Each structure stands twice: as C-alpha cells, then as structure tokens.
Amino acid sequence: MCPPNTPPARAATATADDTEFRTLLDRLSDKATADYYNPFTTFDWPATIPTDELWMSPELLSLHGTELMDELSTAQLQALSRWESVNFYSLNVHGIRELLIEVTRRVHTPGFELPSEFFHHFIGEENDHMWFFATFCLKYAGKIYPDKSVKLPGAPRDPDIENFLVFARILVFEQIVDHYNVQLAADRRLHPTVRHINRLHHQDESRHIAFGCRLVHLLWERLLDRGLDEAARHELRGYLGRYLTTSIESLYNPAAYRDAGLPDGFALRRRLLAHPARQAAHSKVLHKTTGFLNRIGVFDDHR
C-alpha cells in the first residue's frame, strides 16, 4: 500500500535529482532481483481444479452481502466462485496488456530517465503475470472473457496530464487487484494453485504499488508546480472518478452470471450495482486508493 504519510515531492519532475525516489527505485530493483522466479518452471499446473470446490472466497463474490447470496445452493455458489474467478483473472490479462503498452511507450524517454531501470523489472514481471493469469483461464475454463472496457471520454491531451493519468490508472488497477490477491492467497478453502498465483502476484505488486504511489505523487506535484488551474483539476478528478467506477463495475460480468447458471445477468448486474451492501463493499475495495488520492490532494473528502 502507499505510505500513510507520503512526503511531498522535492522536485518538479521524476527526472530531477530526487534522492528519496532514487533510493526507493534502487531498493525495489534489488528486491525484484532477489525475488525473481521463472513462471514457466514455478507452477506445477494440476490437470484439473475440482469444480465442486470454491475458486474464489465467498466474501469477494459480487453477490456477497445481498439477499441473493443467501438464495444460492452450494452448487450455485461453487459455480459462481468459479466463473467470477475466471472473470477476475481475465480482467488482469486485459489490464496488464494495457499497462504494458503504456509503460513500454515511456521507458527511456524524456521525463522518465530515472525510473526507466525499474520499468524493465516492471515490464518483465507484468508480462509474467499476464502469462500465468491467461494460462489459468485457458487451462481450467477454456477461455478468457473478452475485454468489454470502453475508452473513457474526457481524457486530457496535455502530455503532462496524460502521463499522470496513465500512472494513476495503473495504480488504481493494481490496488484493486491486490485487495483481492491478499485475501485469495490467505484463504485455505481455495485450491493451492489459486492461492499460489495470488500470492506470487501480491509479492510483485507490493513493489509496483510502492513505486506507483511515489511516481503518481511526483507527477501530481509536477502539475501543481506548473500551475494547474481549477478547471483542469476538476476535469482530471472527474476522469479518475469515472475510471474508479468503471473498474469496479467490470467485476460484475453478465457472462459470468450466465456461465454460473444465474438467469438474466444484465438485470442481476444492475440490481447488484445499486445494492447498498455492494456500495459498501466498493468503498472497502477502493479504500487505499481513494485515501491516497485524497492525501496527496488529487481528490478531496467531498468528492
């Protein structure tokens, strides 16, 4: 998670002589080297994962906390956990593909000289993550759910704001995913393979999140230093707010409900998204992200 008291950036850009940032990058690069594993030899993929077991913690399912959850039979609960697990890993595949494109575009470019060495660790690890999430989906479900995300309107064309939003989106994505990883890795009700991939992903993502928090803060300070006006700040906040909403809504997949045997998946999705218990669950998932964005001044408590 992002440090609770992130210090103000001491430089206007991520390429300035920021001793604290450089020290963080060196530490994270050393840790990435020490933690390195070969994903192609690390996993001992079983032939199957039993379908009469949970594949996702019930507390993380999109029906949790609602009266609909109580109406599920044991078989329906297991089926829902299986297909929402596949949806979660599919979202990881698509999200990682997008962040790889954006980070690769910036490695060794002006403005990103300082973090480019760590970008190489980041890119390599994220490529590994995409491979093992895709392998899980294809091996045990026979498919990856298609990417249904749409490009959000209103993304500013200003290159400095675009850089900030790219890394803010990556941080949002990683923190949401990590919320699930931590719980799934620790849940002894789940198959060892499920726990293993979530544990490894959290191990790497903890470094990526620490890096992302610092870089996002630096890029935000850069925008403030150049004189970001209130209209631009309002537009930026609105864009990120919409991104938070669409990220959460992607966890409610009508195709997963259909595959789990639940009728009228689109109506079910609408009902769940409006349910007070699910609104509370969303706040819990986003707590670290919104807390960080409030703390550095991107959002405010009355957003």
Side-chain angles (χ1 to χ4, degrees):
M1 64 177 290
C2 299
N5 295 304
T6 306
R10 294 195 299 272
T13 76
T15 60
D17 186 17
D18 185 330
T19 303
E20 185 269 340
F21 189 38
R22 189 183 299 276
T23 300
L24 174 66
L25 290 169
D26 288 344
R27 177 170 61 82
L28 294 177
S29 294
D30 289 346
K31 190 73 167 65
T33 301
D35 288 346
Y36 175 76
Y37 57 89
N38 184 339
F40 300 101
T41 58
T42 293
F43 290 96
D44 182 15
W45 300 102
T48 61
I49 294 181
T51 57
D52 59 349
E53 296 179 359
L54 291 170
W55 288 27
M56 178 173 278
S57 306
E59 297 80 10
L60 295 176
L61 297 178
S62 65
L63 272 67
H64 185 259
T66 73
E67 61 281 0
L68 298 170
M69 184 80 163
D70 298 330
E71 298 170 5
L72 295 179
S73 67
T74 298
Q76 287 176 316
L77 176 64
Q78 291 166 343
L80 182 63
S81 78
R82 181 165 70 255
W83 292 109
E84 289 211 338
S85 174
V86 174
N87 182 57
F88 176 62
Y89 301 136
S90 297
L91 291 172
N92 274 273
V93 171
H94 302 312
I96 291 169
R97 182 192 308 112
E98 181 65 24
L99 70 84
L100 281 173
I101 291 170
E102 295 291 357
V103 173
T104 302
R105 286 180 57 207
R106 288 165 173 82
V107 66
H108 297 302
T109 64
F112 293 99
E113 292 89 349
L114 191 55
S116 282
E117 180 68 21
F118 183 74
F119 279 162
H120 286 287
H121 290 287
F122 183 98
I123 291 167
E125 290 168 355
E126 292 294 354
N127 183 60
D128 292 345
H129 301 162
M130 183 165 57
W131 175 79
F132 63 64
F133 284 130
T135 297
F136 183 96
C137 291
L138 294 172
K139 190 172 184 65
Y140 303 120
K143 65 180 175 182
I144 297 170
Y145 283 121
D147 183 9
K148 296 293 186 179
S149 62
V150 295
K151 186 173 179 60
L152 288 175
R157 296 180 179 273
D158 182 296
D160 291 338
I161 294 179
E162 182 184 3
N163 284 332
F164 168 76
L165 288 176
V166 161
F167 288 99
R169 290 198 308 265
I170 291 173
L171 181 61
V172 169
F173 168 71
E174 290 182 323
Q175 288 189 311
I176 290 174
V177 168
D178 197 56
H179 176 85
Y180 283 74
N181 292 154
V182 170
Q183 296 191 50
L184 293 169
D187 192 342
R188 295 187 175 276
R189 295 170 293 182
L190 306 180
H191 192 278
T193 298
V194 173
R195 298 179 63 201
H196 188 196
I197 63 175
N198 282 280
R199 183 171 61 253
L200 279 181
H201 196 241
H202 168 66
Q203 172 184 292
D204 294 341
E205 290 303 289
S206 62
R207 294 190 301 274
H208 297 186
I209 289 170
F211 165 73
C213 287
R214 185 57 183 153
L215 182 58
V216 167
H217 195 181
L218 283 164
L219 294 172
W220 175 245
E221 289 291 321
R222 176 180 182 175
L223 291 175
L224 296 182
D225 287 346
R226 77 169 211 188
L228 189 68
D229 62 39
E230 189 53 42
R233 292 177 72 156
H234 180 75
E235 182 183 9
L236 185 150
R237 288 168 178 156
Y239 179 89
L240 280 180
R242 293 191 297 274
Y243 184 75
L244 290 174
T245 298
T246 58
S247 296
I248 286 293
E249 290 179 349
S250 67
L251 297 164
Y252 296 74
N253 188 346
Y257 301 144
R258 179 198 63 216
D259 289 340
L262 303 183
D264 202 347
F266 288 97
L268 176 58
R269 182 179 191 267
R270 290 192 297 269
R271 182 177 175 184
L272 290 169
L273 286 171
H275 198 288
R278 298 311 305 161
Q279 294 295 316
H282 302 165
S283 296
K284 184 177 181 181
V285 173
L286 294 174
H287 174 72
K288 291 179 180 178
T289 300
T290 55
F292 169 71
L293 293 173
N294 276 315
R295 197 157 57 244
I296 67 173
V298 177
F299 287 163
D300 57 60
D301 292 329
H302 305 292
R303 182 178 64 87

